[in-house]
Amino acid sequence: MDILLVGGLWLDGSVWGRVARVLESLGHRPVPLTLPGQGDGSASATLEDQVAAVLAAVDATPGRPMVVGHSAACTLAWLAADRRPERLAAVAFVGGFPFSDGHTYADFFEVRDGVMPFPGWAPFEGPETADLGDEARRRLAAAAVPVPAGVARGVVRLTDERRFDVPVVVVCPEFTPAQARTWIDGGDVPELARAGRVHFADIDAGHWPMVSRPAELARVLAAAAGTV
């Protein structure tokens, strides 16, 4: 299966390198995506530019791909389900959940000079980074690409209710499947409360399993692809 891999904030497609190699060995075709505003020098990229790039990747696949979104990019994966519900085999959310229509995409940290820089590790101390050593943190911070304001402050627009028919896999790193179910059932994730088929996969990792547990994450994603 074609598996499109979309990293979260500050990440380009290179973060998926080790995951992609394992997915290939398991018989899949991984496609790590580097989106507009992720290292191409364009601080003017918008959320719609990134959505268009994901859709172009979907349209370029010969079959029905699975779109994997990490962290904030869970919303990008869900936007692909909204725009191409008939083309997707599934979506997988790694360490996050999609926002609803009208929500700001990712206006979480200070924007300076038109971009949202990586804020350092202080906001993420705890379960999110417990499995990241000093060298992994250094590499991630060094490779972090400031997020254009037009992406971070973009407004999510969802219009096609057929998205709720697309199978969903929630990969749970720094939280458990039980916690995820509680949040969904409690109304904290309204999009997934309406989704028809939601499956959960546990992984013993922090927020960046593609860095700390790449082989395990690849196996989880391959297993998810095998169930749809």
Side-chain angles (χ1 to χ4, degrees):
M1 177 183 287
D2 290 275
I3 300 178
L4 310 185
L5 302 165
V6 189
L9 300 177
W10 311 294
L11 304 175
D12 65 17
S14 65
V15 76
W16 297 101
R18 290 185 290 169
V19 173
R21 286 192 291 273
V22 178
L23 283 171
E24 284 180 343
S25 74
L26 295 172
H28 296 283
R29 180 176 175 267
V31 184
L33 299 184
T34 292
L35 303 178
Q38 293 181 336
D40 59 0
S42 174
S44 62
T46 66
L47 177 61
E48 279 303 313
D49 292 334
Q50 293 199 348
V51 173
V54 175
L55 296 178
V58 170
D59 293 341
T61 60
R64 296 172 64 231
M66 180 169 74
V67 180
V68 179
H70 163 255
S71 192
C74 292
T75 297
L76 276 176
W78 196 231
L79 283 162
D82 182 72
R83 307 288 177 88
R84 298 288 192 276
E86 73 288 349
R87 286 281 288 117
L88 299 191
V91 294
F93 304 132
V94 180
F97 303 94
F99 283 135
S100 300
D101 180 69
H103 199 287
T104 303
Y105 175 64
D107 193 10
F108 301 134
F109 300 99
E110 180 185 3
V111 170
R112 301 196 302 268
D113 299 323
V115 296
M116 187 173 68
F118 178 65
W121 291 108
F124 307 107
E125 291 298 342
E128 291 178 301
T129 56
D131 62 344
L132 287 181
D134 291 342
E135 179 59 19
R137 292 187 186 209
R138 186 197 65 76
R139 289 198 310 270
L140 275 171
V145 180
V147 180
V151 174
R153 293 175 172 170
V155 177
V156 177
R157 293 301 180 198
L158 298 165
T159 61
D160 194 332
E161 296 213 345
R162 290 181 299 163
R163 67 186 181 275
F164 298 121
D165 297 327
V166 177
V168 171
V169 179
V170 179
V171 180
C172 306
E174 72 269 30
F175 51 87
T176 67
Q179 287 174 309
R181 289 188 186 95
T182 296
W183 296 330
I184 294 168
D185 294 343
D188 295 324
V189 192
E191 288 297 307
L192 295 194
R194 297 182 63 190
R197 288 174 286 176
V198 181
H199 307 280
F200 299 87
D202 199 10
I203 181 170
D204 184 14
H207 190 64
W208 289 269
M210 70 282 284
V211 174
S212 62
R213 302 285 190 275
E216 185 178 352
L217 177 59
R219 288 191 291 270
V220 166
L221 295 176
T227 63
V228 296

